[in-house]
Amino acid sequence: ISSAESDAGTLDAGAVYLISGANITSGAMVLSDADAIYTGTQVGDLAGSALTGGGDLDGDGFDDILVGAYSSDLSGPNRGTVYIITDAAMQTTTVDISTVGTMLVGEADGDWAGYSIASMGDVDGDLIPEILIGAPQNDDAYNNAGKAYVVYGGSLSSGIHSLSSADLSYTGDATNNYIGFSVGMAGDINLDGTKDILLGGYGNNIS
């Protein structure tokens, strides 16, 4: 469960609450009693504005969590950050999300990286899932054209990594496309034996 404007860490930093299956029962539960709470790092980070399961990204046999904080200033103003919470980081009751170990940050100020995120499953055959990340305000091609990144799970390591080193990327083709505003998996649409992806750009004027 996420609350992107939570003040659990600091004002509007956001928070993500992990509740184990054993504790999902009938009745009401106060989120402060969650098994683990991951709080945003700085004022206005909006951690948890995007949230999804990532599969087992570190090969330890346990699934991991992807958390987007598109307003994060970890590497620069509003560059955005995607945090990877592994099983090892799920053992502490309350923790600053910047301590989880692996962080993927936007390339440039104002990119909004992590506005959308999705797990792709295993694309490259190494049995480790890949990650799809949207940065809808990226200006690499045109102003606010947007950009989406594919990061191979097998290439991940602890620490802070710029999305400039992502394995693949796709940029919008016109001003204000906002490609990466939404991202998702489409299955194998063209029956070529490989998975396909969907990239949303609500500002595109192609028609």
Side-chain angles (χ1 to χ4, degrees), residues 7-197:
D7 301 333
T10 187
L11 180 66
D12 290 339
V16 172
Y17 302 85
L18 175 65
I19 303 169
S20 71
N23 292 327
I24 299 176
T25 59
S26 59
M29 176 181 183
V30 179
L31 284 177
S32 59
D33 294 331
D35 296 274
I37 303 172
Y38 309 95
T39 59
T41 301
Q42 298 175 325
V43 172
D45 273 2
L46 303 179
S49 50
L51 177 67
T52 190
D56 182 13
L57 290 163
D58 59 356
D60 65 353
F62 297 95
D63 286 345
D64 305 314
I65 302 170
L66 303 175
V67 178
Y70 73 88
S71 191
S72 166
D73 298 336
L74 185 65
S75 63
N78 293 320
R79 290 193 179 205
T81 302
V82 174
Y83 298 93
I84 301 174
I85 303 175
T86 64
D87 177 67
M90 296 180 193
Q91 312 305 319
T92 305
T93 302
T94 302
V95 61
D96 184 313
I97 201 168
S98 67
T99 66
V100 299
T102 302
M103 289 148 277
L104 304 172
V105 296
E107 292 186 77
D109 296 349
D111 270 8
W112 279 17
Y115 191 90
S116 59
I117 48 178
S119 175
M120 299 177 62
D122 177 25
V123 173
D124 61 354
D126 64 355
L127 303 182
I128 300 176
E130 307 355 308
I131 304 170
L132 184 59
I133 299 170
Q137 293 196 162
N138 177 276
D139 297 333
D140 275 10
Y142 303 93
N143 186 45
N144 292 332
K147 195 170 184 177
Y149 305 86
V150 174
V151 178
Y152 290 169
S155 67
L156 291 170
S157 60
S158 62
I160 300 174
H161 305 279
S162 172
L163 285 170
S164 61
S165 62
D167 297 277
L168 297 170
S169 63
Y170 306 88
T171 55
D173 58 3
T175 298
N176 295 331
N177 271 188
Y178 298 103
I179 292 298
F181 187 83
S182 58
V183 297
M185 296 304 297
D188 182 10
I189 291 178
N190 57 354
L191 302 179
D192 65 352
T194 58
K195 299 175 182 178
D196 305 314
I197 63 176

